[in-house]
């Protein structure tokens, strides 16, 4: 790959990541102050629609040139979720594109930030299976809430709130299905969602437990190494002392 092509690719990725970050910040801002930032009102709604169109073109272009489309869809699940036009809040999933930019172009390493913490985060996200479980959990939550919103005829934010409280077994009871299809969706979410949320929780707990165990092993290894060094020094001093005694005897 030529240097010009690399620079063009980096510039393009930065531009798309900028769109993703801007969309993410707008959605977060609307959560913090819904009266000042209204996602469904112009001109912000028109701007978000333009960004959605650009992001959609980018997604399907990358899908078209991908050699393994099944793997592409799985690796870019967050991008796919962010294309759902049902509610502007789905743009929050575009933050994954920013992380992909950082990872693909090794920006942490380029800026000298690729230390122990970043390696631990990378191992937690990719090696522990957390990313796969988190993606599956989010997909189940979004799909269930989307179906629930259509069947029960409730606003999508309310349906998503219902899905989260159901999957986490909190169950406030403020929203409940009234139709048979809605109850079937709820049963699916209870079985699949709770299972994946449980696996996700156990994965997080298992990772940090193993990290603590590894840290304790490292501490013990360093302690034993120090003890060995101390033993060698004591042996050396003992030999020196014996030689000194022998010299004193010969002198006498």
């Amino acid at each position: 790959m030529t240097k010009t092509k690399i620079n063009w690719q980096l510039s393009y990725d930065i531009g798309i990541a900028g769109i993703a970050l801007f969309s993410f910040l707008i959605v977060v801002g609307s959560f913090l102050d819904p009266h000042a930032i209204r996602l469904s009102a112009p001109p912000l709604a028109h701007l978000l629609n333009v960004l959605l169109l650009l992001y959609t073109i980018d997604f399907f272009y990358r899908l078209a040139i991908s050699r393994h489309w099944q793997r592409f869809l799985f690796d870019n699940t967050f991008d796919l979720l962010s294309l759902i036009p049902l509610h502007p809040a789905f743009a929050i999933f575009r933050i994954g594109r920013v992380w992909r930019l950082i990872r693909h172009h090794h920006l942490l390493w380029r800026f000298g930030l690729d230390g122990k913490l970043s390696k631990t985060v990378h191992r937690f996200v990719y090696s522990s299976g957390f990313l796969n479980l988190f993606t599956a959990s989010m997909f189940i939550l979004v799909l269930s809430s989307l179906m629930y919103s259509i069947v029960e005829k409730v606003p999508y934010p309310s349906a998503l709130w219902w899905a989260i409280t159901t999957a986490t077994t909190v169950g406030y009871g403020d929203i409940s299905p009234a139709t048979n299809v809605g109850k079937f969706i709820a049963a699916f979410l209870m079985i699949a969602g709770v299972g994946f949320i449980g696996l996700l929780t156990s994965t997080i707990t298992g990772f940090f437990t193993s990290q603590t165990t590894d840290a304790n092993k490292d501490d013990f290894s360093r302690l034993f190494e120090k003890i060995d060094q101390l033993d060698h020094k004591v042996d050396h001093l003992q030999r020196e002392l014996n030689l000194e005694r022998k010299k004193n005897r010969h002198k006498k």
Side-chain angles (χ1 to χ4, degrees), residues 39-236:
L39 300 179
S40 57
L44 191 56
H46 299 323
L47 176 60
L48 290 176
N49 288 334
V50 172
L51 297 181
L52 175 62
L53 177 61
L54 294 175
Y55 213 74
T56 303
I57 295 173
D58 166 75
F59 179 85
F60 285 102
Y61 169 74
R62 291 187 294 120
L63 175 61
I65 64 175
S66 176
R67 296 181 179 178
H68 305 285
W69 64 270
Q70 298 95 335
R71 185 63 189 177
F72 175 86
L73 290 176
F74 183 81
D75 291 339
N76 296 270
T77 304
F78 278 16
D79 287 349
L80 183 60
L81 292 175
S82 71
L83 300 181
I84 298 176
L86 186 64
H87 195 275
F90 280 102
I92 200 170
F93 289 110
R94 295 176 193 168
I95 194 62
R97 190 63 184 273
V98 178
W99 171 249
R100 190 173 299 111
L101 167 71
I102 296 173
R103 182 167 174 254
H104 180 72
H105 293 283
H106 309 288
L107 296 184
L108 291 178
W109 175 79
R110 292 176 183 273
F111 290 105
L113 301 175
D114 189 19
K116 184 177 180 181
L117 178 61
S118 63
K119 291 179 180 178
T120 302
V121 172
H122 185 276
R123 189 166 61 252
F124 168 65
V125 173
Y126 295 99
S127 301
S128 65
F130 170 81
L131 183 61
N132 295 338
L133 288 172
F134 184 74
T135 301
S137 300
M138 292 303 301
F139 184 79
I140 291 173
L141 284 174
V142 171
L143 179 63
S144 300
S145 57
L146 178 60
M147 295 172 61
Y148 187 87
S149 175
I150 296 172
V151 171
E152 296 291 330
K153 296 180 175 56
V154 298
Y156 184 77
S158 300
L160 183 60
W161 168 253
W162 165 83
I164 293 173
T165 56
T166 302
T168 55
T169 67
V170 175
Y172 286 111
D174 52 341
I175 304 175
S176 58
T179 64
N180 290 331
V181 178
K183 293 176 181 178
F184 176 81
I185 296 171
F188 166 78
L189 180 61
M190 291 174 190
I191 297 172
V194 171
F196 274 98
I197 294 295
L199 287 173
L200 190 63
T201 305
S202 63
T203 299
I204 297 173
T205 304
F207 177 80
F208 285 105
T209 301
S210 64
Q211 286 291 108
T212 304
T213 303
D214 292 340
N216 291 335
K217 288 181 180 178
D218 292 339
D219 290 338
F220 279 116
S221 298
R222 286 194 291 268
L223 177 61
F224 290 141
E225 184 178 351
K226 293 291 184 181
I227 293 174
D228 290 337
Q229 293 176 358
L230 183 60
D231 286 339
H232 288 306
K233 290 181 179 180
V234 171
D235 291 339
H236 179 71

